[in-house]
Amino acid sequence: MTSSSQWELPSIPTGSLDFGGGIDTAFSVSEPVATPVQPTHPQSSQQPPAVKHTEVHYSADELVAMWGRVGVHLCEAASQLFEKSKKTLVGDGTYAGFINAALDETPNAARAVPPAWGYLVYAQSAGSVQKRLSDIMPGDIVALFDAKFKGHKGLAAYSQTVGAGEPLVGVVSEFEQKKSKIRVFQANQHVGHQTVEAASYRLEDLKSGIVKVYRVLEA
């Protein structure tokens, strides 16, 4: 028996599908946007020219003249501060503080910039003299770096170390060339004593360390 009814295929809707819940099934594909590449410039390998500092050199006569205009007055100022320290505090108790106090009392003296306290006229390392441009004069500034002295004072042997850690600096009050002895006004760091003291060092007894002597320049 043949059925006369015909089967019909269901129609499939076109367009976007709606699954409910507000889900959008339409997809869009975006193409990547090319980012422009910034041109790179190679850094210049050239360095700025070095600045050359010209060092001033003084003749022996000029150094003596400089001492006459400045060193003499600096020695007088240091001597007056030595006397003043018997009654009152001078400087801040440090070696450099005393030097600055003496320079303040010498109007025509150029202010020094440590560790160079002026123009280097004498340098000695242990027993070797490395530089001597002028005689050591009163009013020069002496700096001792970890200096160890060993010798005899009269019949007694002595050993002394100064300027360890912090260099000892002072104002030269006198230099005995025959004995190679330098007398110095320096800050006294012993509690209970006057703040400036007079000391002496024999350069020929220097066994290790460095001694430098500077000529204070004119402002």
Side-chain angles (χ1 to χ4, degrees), residues 28-106:
S28 61
V29 179
S30 59
E31 296 182 357
V33 180
T35 303
V37 179
Q38 297 293 335
T40 58
H41 300 282
Q43 295 182 353
S44 175
S45 59
Q46 295 181 353
Q47 298 294 331
V51 179
K52 295 182 179 180
H53 298 279
T54 303
E55 184 179 355
V56 179
H57 296 277
Y58 295 96
S59 66
D61 291 339
E62 289 174 329
L63 290 172
V64 172
M66 190 75 67
W67 166 77
R69 294 193 299 268
V70 182
V72 171
H73 304 293
L74 180 58
C75 184
E76 291 177 355
S79 178
Q80 292 173 0
L81 291 176
F82 170 71
E83 295 297 329
K84 183 180 178 180
S85 70
K86 296 177 181 179
K87 300 179 181 180
T88 184
L89 176 68
V90 173
D92 58 5
T94 65
Y95 296 121
F98 167 66
I99 298 296
N100 289 326
L103 290 173
D104 288 341
E105 298 296 323
T106 312

Side-chain angles (χ1 to χ4, degrees), residues 103-174:
L103 290 173
D104 288 341
E105 298 296 323
T106 312
N108 63 331
R111 295 307 298 259
V113 180
W117 290 94
Y119 190 80
L120 184 64
V121 296
Y122 181 90
Q124 178 177 336
S125 177
S128 174
V129 176
Q130 299 177 330
K131 176 178 287 190
R132 182 188 284 119
L133 301 180
S134 173
D135 291 336
I136 299 174
M137 306 292 286
D140 288 343
I141 294 179
V142 60
L144 298 95
F145 302 84
D146 198 14
K148 183 177 181 180
F149 298 89
K150 188 176 182 180
H152 289 80
K153 290 184 177 181
L155 299 177
Y158 83 99
S159 178
Q160 181 184 20
T161 300
V162 296
E166 175 191 4
L168 185 154
V169 290
V171 178
V172 177
S173 61
E174 184 183 358

